[in-house]
Structures are given as C-alpha cells and as structure tokens.
Amino acid sequence: MKVTKKIVLSENDMPKQWYNIVADLTNKPMPMLHPGTKQPLKPEEMEGLFAKGLVEQEFTTERYIDIPDEVRDLYRIYRPTPLVRASGLEKALDTPAKIYFKNESVSPVGSHKLNSAIPQAYYNKIQGIKHMTTETGAGQWGSALSIACKHFGLDLDVFMVKVSYDQKPYRKSVMRTYGANVVASPSNTTEVGRRLQAAHPGTSGSLGMAISEAVEKAMTQPDTRYGLGSVLNHVILHQTIIGEEAKKQMEIAGDYPDVVIGCFGGGSNFCGISFPFLRDNLVGGKQTRFIAAEPASCPKLTRGKFEYDFGDTEGFTPLLPMFTLGHDFEPADIHAGGLRYHGAGTIVSQLMKDKLIEATDVEQLESFEAGVLFAQAEGIIPAPESTHAIAAAIKEALKAKEEGKEKVILFNLSGHGLIDMASYDRYFAGELKNYQVPEEEIAKNVAKLEKLA
Ligand SMILES: *Cc1c(COP(=O)(O)O)cnc(C)c1O
C-alpha cells in the first residue's frame, strides 16, 4: 500500500489559538522568585525587561490564548508546516514503526524559532517599544528575531555566543541581511561583558553570558526590551502551534503517536510539539510517551538537579525552579549550539519531576551519525540540534523492530542544517568527539546554588 508522504493543512486550517498547559496541570509549576527579595515575582516586576503582553502570557492560567491577526498574517508566510511520513528512514532502518516528523525547517530562517519571534516583536511594537536586545547561541533565534523586528519596524541588538560567532559566520550574515546589529559575546559593549572577559580570559562564551549582556543593555537603554528565544512560559506557549497543527495532521493521517520526541535546549520546540498531545494524557486518558533528547555534554534533565537557579550567568534574571547544571556550568563547544544551555523551563521541569515526560541523552557522534542517515534517507539536512531528536527516534524505531511491534513515532524536525555545513565537514574529517561531563563538575556547580526549592 502506498503511504501518504506529506500531510499539508490549508492556511485556513492554521490554529487560531496557542495552548497553555498550565491550565490542565494538577501540580502547577512553582513561582519564579525575585533575585533580590527571593519572594514570588510579581508581573509588574518583569515589565521593565519584557513587553507587557508577553508578561501577561508568562503568568496566565487561561487554557487557550488567541493568536493576534497580525501574527497569523506573518505565520502564513510559512505555516502551516508539513507533517511528513519518514518513509525513507523507515526503510533504511527496516523497522515496523511508523515514523512521522513535523517539518519546522521550512520557515524562512530555517527553524521553529520564528514561531515565537513574530509574536514577541508584535507585543513590543503595540506597546510602543523601539529597540529590542537578545542573545543567540547557534544563531537561529537571532535570525528569527532579526526578521520579526524588521517586520514590525523595531531595531535589534544581538549578542552572539563567541564560539558560534566564529564557527558560524553565515548566521551573522543572515542577521545583518535582516538588518540587526550583531556582536560577539562576551563583548566590550556592556559592563558585564567586560567583567566576564576579565574573569574568564579567552572564554568562548555561553548562552548564560550572552543573556546577561542583552539584559544589561535592555535595562540601561530607554524604550528597549529584551526577548528570549526559549525557556520562559510565553515562548513555550507560542511554540504550541507546532503540536496543535501536528494533532490535526496526525488525525488526517489516521494515526496517533505512541511516542513524541523533540531535541532539548531550553525546551521550546520539545514543549511546542508535545503539550497539545500531552493534554490528551492529562485529560483524555491517553498514555503517550514524551522524550526530550539532550546532548550528553549538557545533560540538565538526565543529570541536573531541580533547584531554583538563574537563567543567566550573572544572576540578573528571576530565579526559576528548574532542572539545572548550575548557571556557572560551561558546556563543551559542541556543534549543536542551540542545546548548550544550563537549565530547562519551569513547566517542563515540573513535568519531569512529576514523571509526565522522559529525557534521554545523546552523544555528539551519535547525533551526527543519525543526521547523516536522515539526510540520505529523507533528503533534508537537519540542524545539529535536531539530529538529537532524530537519534532518539531511531532508537525507538530500532526497539520496535527488536520487539516486532508496530509503533507510531512523531518527532519535531526543529530546523535544517544548511548553514551548519562546517559542522558536518568537521564530523566527516573525524574532528568531532564525544564529551562526558564528570559528576564532580555538576555537583560543584549545583552546590553553589541557594537551596530554595
Ligand atoms: C534553538 C534551537 C533548538 C533548541 O531550543 P529549544 O528551545 O529547546 O527548542 C533546537 N533546534 C533548533 C533548530 C534551534 O534553533
């Protein structure tokens, strides 16, 4: 029997609302704390840093939030994205499992990040904000916010983690083409950047450091707010459009996933594809498994601790209750730059604590091996981040083969790797290696955290 390769929704079938899973959780996430007073953070205390509309979404307990028309209009440039049956990968693995992937790589910036960049720029614009600041790791978030800001007439400063700035020169070009100002972080343009360089001579930077710089700039310049590409509740909310679409598409395909997989940096694409399905577990009696695939070199969910921790290196952000490796953790320079972050979002951390989701870790070499197999079987070269989800999906498909079971696997292809070919070249040259984080290093960094959880 011929399988349907691609399930495409019409523009009119694009979801009109984002889904907020907090409404359906019995154990709500613990509150964020003010970094100074250690008291639960009040919405108005966040409004100096983020646009009001986003702060409101950060705290909301409403189940569904309407997507503004201006945001839907821009989503239409690339949404709804296709759901694809990975028939080539199934054949290559000779597995009885059915594998589907949601193809977020079709967005103009090549990743899911635009799903949150567009609404973030929109809520800043309608408040009268003129400038935004942000950080970027691999460059995907920076690219997405660059074009989103351009759409709404805002200007943008991007602090790009130095290792990526050097390794991924074309991401800089993309951001500049969209009109953003890009600097390598830590930089000399902020006080904290200068301090970090003095304290860590020759540092290759980290997302935590870049966030500190972007936050400082947003707090010290008028009419400026900051935008974050992952971790926070409002970002996760925006990304649920992935799962809402995928649910409609799986229904058309006549299947329902037994397991849903996403790679995991701060959680936005994993949560985005998972939460609309997880709702069926919470309120509909389904028993789908949800697997977050993280790099072995930055294993916050599999080996981190649940504690209150800062989102950045300097302790400027609120304290978040999360699985963390400690905000001083300096991840190895792996090529999946978007996954080099020390912590996980608060909702997803609570879900992990309550065993409603699972996590697995993937070695760098295994991730590239999976990426190459996928590229050859499906024709799409995946982002180094996305290869972690592919590796986890392959593991599940091979397990199904061993057990002789049919199983439906859905994973999110968070982005393509066409701007990351230097990483693939290094993989083929045998220059990449695996990194194991020693237990003492995690223990040392987590021990420095104040025990508030
Ligand atoms: C940023 C990014 C990730 C990791 O971030 P999450 O918030 O965990 O989704 C994964 N894949 C791609 C392509 C990215 O750009």
Side-chain angles (χ1 to χ4, degrees):
M1 205 178 63
K2 229 165 132 188
V3 304
T4 305
K5 182 66 184 168
K6 197 160 97 228
I7 295 142
V8 186
L9 296 175
S10 77
E11 283 183 25
N12 290 337
D13 288 332
M14 190 166 73
K16 297 192 167 59
Q17 295 178 311
W18 293 301
Y19 169 55
N20 175 22
I21 200 170
V22 173
D24 290 315
L25 291 181
T26 313
N27 291 341
K28 307 286 185 207
M30 292 155 68
M32 291 184 277
L33 302 181
H34 187 283
T37 64
K38 314 275 159 73
Q39 292 302 305
L41 193 74
K42 299 188 191 82
E44 54 275 23
E45 290 169 331
M46 264 183 121
E47 287 175 0
L49 192 53
F50 295 98
K52 278 198 181 77
L54 298 170
V55 173
E56 204 176 293
Q57 292 176 351
E58 191 61 29
F59 286 86
T60 187
T61 52
E62 291 285 316
R63 182 169 286 109
Y64 287 102
I65 308 291
D66 290 340
I67 305 175
D69 285 341
E70 293 87 334
V71 171
R72 279 172 52 86
D73 281 344
L74 289 170
Y75 275 173
R76 267 186 252 276
I77 293 173
Y78 63 103
R79 306 210 71 85
T81 63
L83 178 79
V84 185
R85 177 80 180 267
S87 46
L89 183 61
E90 289 171 16
K91 203 166 143 209
L93 298 171
D94 186 27
T95 172
K98 294 182 184 176
I99 309 175
Y100 291 87
F101 64 92
K102 182 72 167 149
N103 188 0
E104 291 296 307
S105 81
V106 300
S107 96
V109 297
S111 79
H112 68 291
K113 294 289 199 316
L114 202 50
N115 300 334
S116 185
I118 292 169
Q120 289 195 37
Y122 166 79
Y123 287 107
N124 275 279
K125 169 72 184 175
I126 59 169
Q127 189 186 325
I129 298 301
K130 302 279 189 289
H131 319 272
M132 288 188 74
T133 67
T134 197
E135 76 294 328
T136 196
Q140 286 110 328
W141 167 245
S143 313
L145 195 60
S146 298
I147 185 58
C149 280
K150 189 49 74 182
H151 282 310
F152 289 107
L154 306 169
D155 50 57
L156 174 68
D157 283 302
V158 182
F159 292 89
M160 185 172 191
V161 178
K162 189 168 182 308
V163 58
S164 300
Y165 190 91
D166 297 335
Q167 275 178 359
K168 307 199 165 174
Y170 290 131
R171 291 272 183 215
K172 266 181 303 206
S173 322
V174 171
M175 290 184 263
R176 283 180 182 149
T177 303
Y178 289 144
N181 174 39
V182 188
V183 293
S185 168
S187 76
N188 292 324
T189 68
T190 64
E191 208 179 297
V192 61
R194 292 187 287 271
R195 193 158 71 229
L196 284 166
Q197 287 185 79
H200 309 264
T203 178
S204 54
S206 70
L207 271 178
M209 291 184 190
I211 295 174
S212 298
E213 289 205 272
V215 167
E216 179 188 310
K217 178 127 194 195
M219 300 296 279
T220 52
Q221 182 177 280
D223 296 327
T224 308
R225 293 291 184 281
Y226 162 73
L228 186 64
S230 186
V231 180
L232 293 178
N233 299 352
H234 65 269
V235 184
I236 307 294
L237 176 78
H238 302 152
Q239 294 294 354
T240 58
I241 190 155
I242 303 173
E244 289 293 337
E245 282 180 9
K247 270 185 92 168
K248 291 189 181 195
Q249 290 162 312
M250 289 299 298
E251 207 177 307
I252 295 169
D255 276 321
Y256 193 93
D258 296 301
V259 49
V260 178
I261 298 169
C263 66
F264 198 95
S268 77
N269 90 89
F270 167 75
C271 298
I273 193 159
S274 297
F275 285 1
F277 290 98
L278 184 51
R279 171 170 156 79
D280 290 349
N281 279 17
L282 297 172
V283 302
K286 290 271 190 202
Q287 294 194 322
T288 307
R289 292 169 58 215
F290 298 89
I291 305 177
E294 59 183 11
S297 57
C298 198
K300 58 227 143 204
L301 291 176
T302 49
R303 295 175 61 201
K305 300 286 173 306
F306 184 87
E307 290 290 354
Y308 269 100
D309 195 5
F310 297 108
D312 67 326
T313 305
E314 283 302 283
F316 289 165
T317 70
L319 284 156
L320 307 175
M322 62 183 185
F323 276 90
T324 180
L325 297 165
H327 58 271
D328 285 337
F329 181 77
E330 283 194 63
D333 293 346
I334 56 164
H335 282 259
L339 306 184
R340 294 175 77 244
Y341 185 66
H342 66 272
T346 68
I347 299 174
V348 73
S349 291
Q350 185 66 43
L351 293 173
M352 186 75 199
K353 209 171 151 209
D354 292 338
K355 301 192 166 53
L356 294 168
I357 61 161
E358 307 166 33
T360 186
D361 60 353
V362 179
E363 296 282 359
Q364 177 156 257
L365 293 178
E366 184 191 356
S367 76
F368 274 92
E369 192 186 332
V372 171
L373 177 65
F374 180 82
Q376 295 181 356
E378 294 295 330
I380 303 171
I381 298 179
E385 291 83 4
S386 315
T387 60
H388 292 73
I390 297 170
I394 290 174
K395 248 187 242 169
E396 288 297 316
L398 293 176
K399 205 158 64 180
K401 179 171 161 181
E402 237 167 65
E403 296 165 351
K405 268 195 212 147
E406 251 211 29
K407 172 157 53 168
V408 178
I409 299 168
L410 168 64
F411 73 86
N412 192 41
L413 183 72
S414 53
H416 70 64
L418 289 177
I419 311 181
D420 305 295
M421 295 319 292
S423 312
Y424 278 87
D425 279 344
R426 292 198 59 203
Y427 170 66
F428 292 129
E431 289 167 17
L432 299 191
K433 51 180 185 170
N434 291 333
Y435 294 90
Q436 276 299 339
V437 186
E439 199 55 47
E440 310 84 74
E441 194 183 333
I442 298 175
K444 178 189 80 185
N445 282 307
V446 172
K448 287 188 232 163
L449 304 177
E450 207 178 330
K451 302 284 176 283
L452 298 163

